Amino acid sequence: MEPKNCQMRLEVPDAALELVLGYMDDPLDREAVSLVCQRWYNIDARSRKQVTIAICYSTSPDRLRRRFPNLESLKLKGKPRAAMFNLIPEEWGGYAGPWVRGLAESLSCLKSVHFRRMIIEDENIDVLVRARGDKLKSIKIDKCSGFSTNGLMTIARSCKNMTTLFLEESSIVDNNSNDNRWIRVLALNNCVLEALNFYMTELKVTPQDLELLARNCKSLSSLKISECDISFLIHFFQEATLLEEFGGGSFNDQVGEINMYQTVRFPPKLCCVGLMYMGTNEMHLLFPFATSLKKLDLQYTFLQTEDHCQLIQRCPNLEVLEVRDVIGDRGLEVVAQTCKKLKRLRIERGDDEQGLEDEQGRVTQVGLSMLAQGCPELEYLAVYVSDITNAALEALGTFSKNLCDFRLVLLDREKKITDLPLDNGVRSLLRGCTKLKRFALYLRPGGLSDLGLAYIGEYSGNVRWILMGNVGDSDIGLLRFSRGCPRLQKLELRSCCFSERALAIAAQQLPSLRYLWVQGYGASQNGASFLSMAHRFWNIELIPPSQDTASDEVEDRRGEAQILAYYSLVGRRNDCPESVIPLLA
C-alpha cells in the first residue's frame, strides 16, 4: 500500500552545484541559474570566477564586489566599439580610475584584469599594482590610452608572477631612456612570463632587452612587438626556443644589403606568425615551416595576389588567416583548396587609394562561394567585398554550418553591384547558419529592403550582436525586424533612413536589448522621440554632429548625429563631457 502524499525530493549539495556551474561558460546560462531561487543565486555569486562588463557605466565597483566577492578575472570595457573607428568624441569617457580604486583591494581573489577602450593613467596602474602586486597573473590594457612607460615600469618591477602582459593597439607615451627600459626591468624581475604583446604601438624596443627576456623567461611562448628590423632579432630567435607565436618586427631591404635576412632562422615551434612589411623577397623565410603554421597574419605586408597564393598553398594546417582584400578571388580559391582546417578568416580593406594593391585584388561573390564550399570548419568570417550576390550568401548558408560570427562590408569601388537587394541571400544565410551569435552587414543604399530586415528579425534566434549600415527602405523594415531577435543584446546602426520614433519603438520591442548605438538617422533638435524609451534602467545620450571643420576626417566620420543608449543599474553617469547630452525623462 502506497503512503499518502508521497513525495520525492532531490537536494543537490552546494559543492556539487558549484562544480556543475564551473562548466558553464556562457554568462546567460549563469544568469538563468541565478534566477532559479535564492540558494542558487547565492551559490552563483560566490562561485563566479569571471565577469565581463560590456560598458563600464552599466554598474559600479561596489555592486560588482558585493555580487561576486570571489571574482578572479574581470574584463571591463569603456568607450563604445565605434570609438575604434574615430566615431566617438575622444573625451567621451571610459575612465578606469574609479574601478581600480574600488576593486583593487576589495577583490582579494583577483588574478586577471582586462581593460578595453578605456582611459587608464599611470596612477591607476600604481594603485592596482600596490594592491595586487605579485598576485596578478594577467594584465591586459587593450586599445587604451592615458598611460606611459612609467606605468609599465611599475608593472615590470612588481608583478613577478605575471604570465601575460597585453598592450596591443594602446596609445602609450614612451618615456624610456637608456636607464629606464621597462622590458629590461621586466626580464630581470619576472621569470614566468609566457606572453608579451605590444603590437601596433609606438613603443621602442631594444633587441638586447628581448634577448634577455628570452633567456630569463624560459616559458615565453608568445611575443608580438612594435616595429624592429627582423635582422636585429637573430639572437633573440636563437634564445626563444619555446616561442610559438611571433608578430610585428619589420623588413627593410631598401638599404642596399640584398642578403641581410638570409641568416634569419625562426624558433622550431613557431606556428603563429604576423610579420610587418614583408615583401616578395622575404616571404621565403616562412617556407621551411609553412606546413606547421596554424595562424598567419598578412595584413601589413607588401605581398601581391600571386604572392598570397604561393605562400598559402604551402600552409595546409592553417586555422586562422588575416589578410587584406589584395588576396583576391584567386587567393580565396587557393585557401579553399588548401586550408581545410580553417576556422577564422579576416579580409580587411586594402590601401587602394595609394595605388599599392594588385589589380587582381578584389574579393567578390566568386571567391566567397569557393570559400564556403572548400572550408567547412569556418567559424568566423569578416570580409570586405567589391561585389556580392544572393547566391554567394546562400552558399555560406548551405556549407558553413559552424559559422558563429559573420561580418560583411560592401565597398563602393564598383559603380554597379551584380545582385541587389540581398534579401533572399541573407535569409538563406541565417536559416542555414543556426549557430550565429554575431552578425554584421554594411551595404550600399538599396542593398537590403524592408523585407530583408524582416528576414533578419525572423531568422536571428540566437544572434546577440548585430551591426547594420545602409539597410532598409523605411521605418516599417526596422519595426518588422524588432519583432524578432529574441536574444539580441547589442544593436548598432549606421547611415539608415529610420526616424527617432521608429528607433525608440524598436528598442522597446526587442526583449533582450541592453545596448543601442545609432549614427545617421532622422534626428530632431532635442531627441524628444527617444523619451518614450527612457526609464530608470536606460541611460540615453545624444552626440550632436561634430562642429570641428578643421579635419576632413573628423567632419566625415562624425558629421551625423548619434544616439547611445545602454542598460545601467546605477543611473546617469556624472562625467559626461560637453559633447555628450544626457537625455532625461
Side-chain angles (χ1 to χ4, degrees), residues 15 29-30 44 72 87 130 135 169 183 217-218 352 380 402 420 463-464 486 524:
D29 291 339
R30 294 293 299 242
D44 172 58
E72 295 181 0
L87 297 172
R130 277 193 284 110
K135 298 180 181 65
E169 291 191 51
I183 295 180
C217 301
K218 298 298 184 181
D352 52 312
Y380 172 96
N402 291 318
L420 293 181
V463 179
R464 298 178 186 178
S524 66

Side-chain angles (χ1 to χ4, degrees), residues 454-472:
Y455 287 153
I456 294 177
E458 183 177 356
Y459 296 109
S460 296
N462 293 317
V463 179
R464 298 178 186 178
W465 170 80
I466 289 180
L467 164 65
M468 295 186 290
N470 286 312
V471 297

Side-chain angles (χ1 to χ4, degrees), residues 213 324 351 362 383 417 521 540:
L213 188 74
R324 300 192 319 276
D351 297 325
R362 296 290 186 270
V383 55
I417 302 302
Y521 58 95
I540 304 175

Side-chain angles (χ1 to χ4, degrees), residues 20 108 123 188 199 233 245:
V20 172
S108 59
E123 177 187 357
L188 293 173
Y199 186 57
L233 301 178
E245 179 177 30

Side-chain angles (χ1 to χ4, degrees), residues 394-568:
E394 290 169 7
L396 287 166
T398 300
F399 298 105
S400 302
K401 297 300 184 181
N402 291 318
L403 206 58
C404 300
D405 192 331
F406 175 77
R407 312 178 191 198
L408 183 141
V409 178
L410 178 59
L411 298 172
D412 55 4
R413 289 171 175 162
E414 308 296 333
K415 291 183 178 179
K416 183 178 180 181
I417 302 302
T418 301
D419 185 16
L420 293 181
L422 297 172
D423 299 349
N424 292 331
V426 167
R427 177 181 59 179
S428 298
L429 172 71
L430 292 170
R431 290 177 68 178
C433 302
T434 56
K435 296 181 180 180
L436 269 181
K437 292 185 179 180
R438 298 173 69 83
F439 178 75
L441 200 63
Y442 199 99
L443 303 174
R444 288 158 56 166
L448 195 76
S449 73
D450 286 346
L451 179 61
L453 277 175
Y455 287 153
I456 294 177
E458 183 177 356
Y459 296 109
S460 296
N462 293 317
V463 179
R464 298 178 186 178
W465 170 80
I466 289 180
L467 164 65
M468 295 186 290
N470 286 312
V471 297
D473 304 317
S474 67
D475 287 350
I476 294 174
L478 178 64
L479 296 177
R480 293 180 67 183
F481 160 83
S482 66
R483 296 190 190 109
C485 300
R487 297 189 178 184
L488 183 64
Q489 295 179 314
K490 298 183 70 173
L491 175 61
E492 302 179 30
L493 300 169
R494 283 194 73 190
S495 304
C496 296
C497 60
F498 310 131
S499 67
E500 287 183 355
R501 180 176 177 275
L503 288 167
I505 294 173
Q508 295 174 84
Q509 288 187 164
L510 292 163
S512 301
L513 193 68
R514 295 293 181 269
Y515 177 97
L516 172 68
W517 175 80
V518 187
Q519 183 195 43
Y521 58 95
S524 66
Q525 289 293 325
N526 55 10
S529 296
F530 290 124
L531 288 174
S532 63
M533 61 181 283
H535 58 74
R536 68 190 185 100
F537 291 123
W538 275 101
N539 283 356
I540 304 175
E541 300 175 359
L542 302 180
I543 304 177
S546 171
Q547 301 301 314
D548 183 2
T549 58
S551 169
D552 292 339
E553 180 180 0
V554 171
E555 186 176 9
D556 180 57
R557 290 177 179 266
R558 289 178 42 210
E560 298 177 294
Q562 302 179 43
I563 175 179
L564 175 66
Y566 54 92
Y567 194 84
S568 176

Side-chain angles (χ1 to χ4, degrees), residues 236-431:
F236 165 76
F237 290 136
Q238 292 173 349
E239 294 283 356
T241 56
L242 297 182
L243 198 68
E244 297 178 5
E245 179 177 30
F246 178 78
S250 60
F251 289 93
N252 180 19
D253 61 357
Q254 309 301 317
V255 295
E257 295 186 39
I258 299 177
N259 299 320
M260 64 187 299
Y261 300 111
Q262 294 301 315
T263 57
V264 174
R265 298 291 183 272
F266 291 104
K269 294 189 175 183
L270 199 65
C271 58
C272 303
V273 177
L275 303 176
M276 297 183 70
Y277 311 137
M278 180 176 67
T280 305
N281 295 333
E282 296 84 36
M283 71 176 185
H284 71 274
L285 294 174
L286 302 181
F287 289 176
F289 60 98
T291 57
S292 301
L293 287 178
K294 295 181 179 179
K295 178 180 179 180
L296 184 60
D297 184 352
L298 303 176
Q299 291 182 87
Y300 303 102
T301 66
F302 293 126
L303 301 181
Q304 299 300 312
T305 301
E306 190 56 36
D307 298 328
H308 282 79
C309 296
Q310 290 188 30
L311 178 55
I312 292 170
Q313 69 185 5
R314 291 174 164 85
C315 305
N317 294 305
L318 275 185
E319 297 178 6
V320 180
L321 177 61
E322 298 178 348
V323 294
R324 300 192 319 276
D325 58 3
V326 68
I327 190 174
D329 289 339
R330 167 77 180 111
L332 289 185
E333 180 182 11
V334 174
V335 171
Q337 293 171 348
T338 307
C339 307
K340 300 301 181 181
K341 300 178 182 178
L342 194 67
K343 294 182 178 180
R344 294 178 61 89
L345 175 60
R346 186 177 192 89
I347 305 175
E348 286 287 347
R349 180 175 188 165
D351 297 325
D352 52 312
E353 295 181 359
Q354 300 179 24
L356 296 176
E357 300 298 346
D358 194 314
E359 290 185 0
Q360 300 180 66
R362 296 290 186 270
V363 173
T364 72
Q365 63 275 5
V366 176
L368 284 188
S369 297
M370 290 186 288
L371 181 74
Q373 296 179 57
C375 301
E377 300 301 318
L378 206 59
E379 298 175 359
Y380 172 96
L381 176 60
V383 55
Y384 283 76
V385 297
S386 297
D387 197 4
I388 189 66
T389 62
N390 282 281
L393 297 179
E394 290 169 7
L396 287 166
T398 300
F399 298 105
S400 302
K401 297 300 184 181
N402 291 318
L403 206 58
C404 300
D405 192 331
F406 175 77
R407 312 178 191 198
L408 183 141
V409 178
L410 178 59
L411 298 172
D412 55 4
R413 289 171 175 162
E414 308 296 333
K415 291 183 178 179
K416 183 178 180 181
I417 302 302
T418 301
D419 185 16
L420 293 181
L422 297 172
D423 299 349
N424 292 331
V426 167
R427 177 181 59 179
S428 298
L429 172 71
L430 292 170
R431 290 177 68 178

